[in-house]
Amino acid sequence: MSQFSARVAGCAVALSVIVAACTSAAEPGASPARSAPPSPESEPTTDESSPGATPIQDEDPAEEFEEDAIVLSVAIPEPSTLDPMRIKDPGSTLIARQLFEGLTKWDPEREEVVPAAAESWTVSNGGRTFTFTLRRGMTFHDGTPVTSGDFKYAFERIALRRNASDLAYTLDRVIGFLQVNQLGSKKKLAGIGAPDKRTLVIRLSEPYHDFPTVLTHPGLVPLPKGSVEDLDTFLTSPVGNGPFKMARKWNPGETAVLEAVEDYALGRPELDGITFEPVVDAAQSWLSFDRGDIDVAEVPVGQFSYAANKYGDQGYRPFLAGYNYGLNMSSGVLRRARARRAINLAINREAIAQDIYRGSMVPPRGIIPSGMPGFESDLCSSLCSYEPGEARKLVNGLPEGDRTLKINYTEGSPHHQVARAVKRDLQKAGFRVSIKGYQFARFLQRLTSGRGGVYRLGWIGEYPAPDVFLSSLFDSASPDNHSGFDSAKVDSLLDRAHRQPDSERRLELYRKAESEIMKRTPVVPIGTFMSHWAAQSNVTGIHFDVLGGFDAAGVSVER
């Protein structure tokens, strides 16, 4: 059964936050979600020289720390939860990244997966079995040791059908997932074993050498069962195993106050604490940041140049999210490659990026967003160029009665504005175009029933693996493939990539698969996104990543 609805729902949340800071309306998105960039939904400011925003109003959390403590203050989109299996908005995710430590993590400087709670792992059985050895001395914030059983418990909690976690798709290759998540006939994942307290064995139903990358997801973390069973307390004071712990109880709408773990297994953080200040959008926090009251904040639309000049652009990073239109290749004129190419050439992507997304969207490089390691080359330069004259020629070559298109999208801003812009461009090329917005559930129903036509397709990579964008959307057997794309060659390339232990060879296979998909044009890439963070000059050691956030363990503030 498809995990599409959960992934799309999560993506809608994360991307809505991107949109709130970057457009005059709201959201992009569909799929995995993650610490996202600024939110393009609220009305942006346009004066780059004078940020006009309301300062944050919140009680002073300084009472939790000594007077000379080094505390980092961060403005974030208001988090909804701190339960790892429920995180999908960027505020919640950024806090969770500090509270918890998974088996592996993504190193933004080295651009590779590195050990975290696991000190090492081995791969066997052709990429089907992963054996992790946990670090000695790692404990939860209540002092109890972190064991392999805590990972097994947490993963099975995510997979349980009754829990309906949006993150369950990350475990869908684990043996027994069907019985636990889809059928609900089992409560334990047969593929996860804990032979001793420091050894965790995960067996997959098929080879997948990218699995350690999947495990970088900030929701795939260990949990102490006893703490979780007191759920009301856990939701306000979660017990994690990361470099920071809760300094006081948290409730939605309040500042989240974290303090350093003195005996953290990977070394005490430089900071004594962090305060996460909840804001509606980036514009709300900007004045407070610009006058020095906040250490780290997202940059609102209208302030990108001003902020880069004053604070530097090291926080301006690609975000692994793409905004596309999918094309149902079995529907009407979309069966014709000529029509699909005409659609791509007819759309003025630059106008959409500037007029609707106000600088937070950048031109697409292909199916996989900019920022994915190993995918620097531009596959979309010819297909995604704005050539209205060539588009008209292609449309003129179509039968007169076969030039009708319907654009389906999810209701709300900015999707309506994007659909209208695309409609105008396609009409100029000679297509007859109608657009229709749907509530989310009905939109999914149309896709799954094959009535998508031209449909909005947003997708986020919640972990930096190209397969998130390739197999999910274009493998012929994927339930999330709503374009009807079917290529034995692409299926073979993806299967070979999954089985390939060498990371460079695996990337090359993924690049070939993307190139083959682009040749068939089952998709119209519109753009990918940028996250825009700024940090005060006295903040050191902060590294913003393509997942839309940062880890604070190595950050310091010079006072």
Side-chain angles (χ1 to χ4, degrees):
M1 185 180 295
S2 172
Q3 293 293 315
F4 182 75
S5 58
R7 300 177 73 177
V8 174
C11 191
V13 172
L15 278 177
S16 67
V17 178
I18 308 174
V19 190
C22 310
T23 71
S24 55
E27 196 211 16
S31 159
R34 140 108 7 288
S35 281
S39 181
E41 255 160 85
S42 53
E43 191 67 32
T45 55
T46 56
D47 181 0
E48 294 240 341
S49 62
S50 64
T54 304
I56 294 175
Q57 302 293 331
D58 200 353
E59 62 183 83
D60 185 4
E63 61 191 35
E64 304 294 337
F65 302 100
E66 299 292 334
E67 187 175 345
D68 60 349
I70 302 174
V71 180
L72 183 77
S73 57
V74 184
I76 59 170
E78 185 171 329
S80 61
T81 182
L82 299 183
D83 185 341
M85 82 168 182
R86 302 292 181 203
I87 57 172
K88 56 186 178 182
D89 63 88
S92 300
T93 304
L94 189 57
I95 297 174
R97 288 177 64 169
Q98 322 312 321
L99 291 174
F100 299 94
E101 196 78 87
L103 292 164
T104 61
K105 68 192 306 178
W106 179 252
D107 187 321
E109 293 186 279
R110 294 162 58 180
E111 293 192 332
E112 64 182 18
V113 178
V114 297
E119 66 180 18
S120 64
W121 64 88
T122 59
V123 185
S124 58
N125 194 22
R128 293 180 177 86
T129 302
F130 295 79
T131 303
F132 296 88
T133 301
L134 303 190
R135 291 185 185 276
R136 294 185 185 276
M138 179 162 280
T139 63
F140 288 109
H141 300 154
D142 62 3
T144 58
V146 175
T147 70
S148 55
D150 299 316
F151 277 99
K152 177 176 170 62
Y153 164 71
F155 289 3
E156 288 172 343
R157 180 174 180 255
I158 289 171
L160 274 175
R161 178 182 176 88
R162 68 167 181 262
N163 286 341
S165 171
D166 288 348
L167 308 187
Y169 78 93
T170 60
L171 301 170
D172 61 5
R173 288 183 171 88
V174 175
I175 291 174
F177 180 83
L178 176 67
Q179 290 77 16
V180 173
N181 184 265
Q182 303 300 319
L183 302 178
S185 58
K186 302 285 186 181
K187 294 182 179 180
K188 305 293 184 182
L189 289 167
I192 299 184
D196 61 59
K197 290 185 177 181
R198 291 186 57 226
T199 304
L200 182 72
V201 181
I202 303 178
R203 294 180 297 121
L204 308 183
S205 56
E206 60 189 52
Y208 197 60
H209 281 277
D210 280 324
F211 191 61
T213 307
V214 176
L215 293 172
T216 65
H217 191 294
L220 297 176
V221 296
L223 295 175
K225 184 177 180 181
S227 295
V228 177
E229 286 177 340
D230 182 2
L231 191 58
D232 290 340
T233 299
F234 181 77
L235 293 177
T236 59
S237 301
V239 177
N241 67 319
F244 295 90
K245 62 183 179 180
M246 300 300 297
R248 70 184 188 195
K249 184 182 296 187
W250 170 85
N251 288 296
E254 298 177 351
T255 296
V257 184
L258 279 57
E259 61 181 321
V261 176
E262 296 292 335
D263 57 351
Y264 181 54
L266 295 176
R268 187 195 187 281
E270 297 285 333
L271 298 167
D272 294 312
I274 313 173
T275 61
F276 287 102
E277 318 277 354
V279 297
V280 174
D281 56 32
Q284 183 189 359
S285 61
W286 185 248
L287 183 59
S288 295
F289 172 83
D290 199 43
R291 71 186 183 195
D293 295 337
I294 294 175
D295 297 315
V296 180
E298 293 175 321
V299 182
V301 167
Q303 304 300 332
F304 293 162
S305 296
Y306 169 85
N309 289 333
K310 186 173 180 180
Y311 302 103
D313 62 0
Q314 67 273 15
Y316 293 15
R317 299 281 292 155
F319 179 60
L320 295 183
Y323 195 112
N324 313 290
Y325 276 104
L327 303 176
N328 185 338
M329 299 171 68
S330 63
S331 175
V333 70
L334 298 177
R335 295 187 179 94
R336 301 175 182 268
R338 182 187 193 95
R340 300 194 300 273
R341 180 169 177 79
I343 292 169
N344 269 282
L345 296 178
I347 296 173
N348 188 341
R349 293 164 174 82
E350 183 67 24
I352 292 172
Q354 294 304 316
D355 297 344
I356 299 176
Y357 282 94
R358 310 291 179 88
S360 65
M361 177 182 277
V362 295
R365 59 148 301 282
I367 296 166
I368 296 170
S370 300
M372 181 72 75
F375 287 81
E376 292 76 25
S377 62
D378 186 354
L379 282 187
C380 214
S381 56
S382 60
L383 182 66
C384 299
S385 60
Y386 179 45
E387 298 183 32
E390 180 63 22
R392 280 192 294 272
K393 289 180 184 178
L394 290 168
V395 174
N396 288 338
L398 296 171
E400 179 66 33
D402 203 10
R403 302 179 185 179
T404 300
L405 298 171
K406 181 178 179 180
I407 297 174
N408 301 272
Y409 62 95
T410 45
E411 289 179 338
S413 296
H415 306 313
H416 182 64
Q417 290 94 321
V418 175
R420 285 192 301 178
V422 170
K423 175 183 177 179
R424 287 193 297 268
D425 289 342
L426 295 180
Q427 286 177 326
K428 290 176 184 176
F431 286 107
R432 293 180 291 274
V433 186
S434 62
I435 62 175
K436 176 68 173 176
Y438 295 91
Q439 291 184 345
F440 186 68
R442 284 200 61 200
F443 178 73
L444 289 180
Q445 288 173 359
R446 291 189 65 81
L447 295 189
T448 54
S449 65
R451 293 178 292 159
V454 180
Y455 57 94
R456 184 188 70 80
L457 177 60
W459 210 249
I460 292 180
E462 292 192 277
Y463 43 85
D467 196 52
V468 173
F469 296 90
L470 298 177
S471 290
S472 301
L473 299 175
F474 301 106
D475 187 299
S476 61
S478 172
D480 298 341
N481 177 355
H482 297 292
S483 66
F485 180 84
D486 188 349
S487 166
K489 183 174 184 179
V490 169
D491 289 347
S492 175
L493 286 167
L494 293 174
D495 182 65
R496 287 166 57 196
H498 298 166
R499 296 171 182 271
Q500 176 55 249
D502 183 84
S503 59
E504 287 302 319
R505 293 179 180 177
R506 190 160 65 248
L507 281 175
E508 182 58 30
L509 289 166
Y510 283 137
R511 285 191 287 263
K512 288 180 180 179
E514 183 190 32
S515 179
E516 289 297 322
I517 296 167
M518 291 291 290
K519 289 176 184 177
R520 296 272 301 278
T521 59
V523 65
V524 182
I526 300 296
T528 61
F529 294 95
M530 296 285 294
S531 61
H532 295 83
W533 286 94
Q536 302 291 349
S537 60
N538 62 337
V539 176
T540 61
I542 191 166
H543 300 288
F544 300 99
D545 56 38
V546 294
L547 303 175
F550 60 91
D551 293 326
V555 176
S556 186
V557 181
E558 299 174 1
R559 297 298 188 193

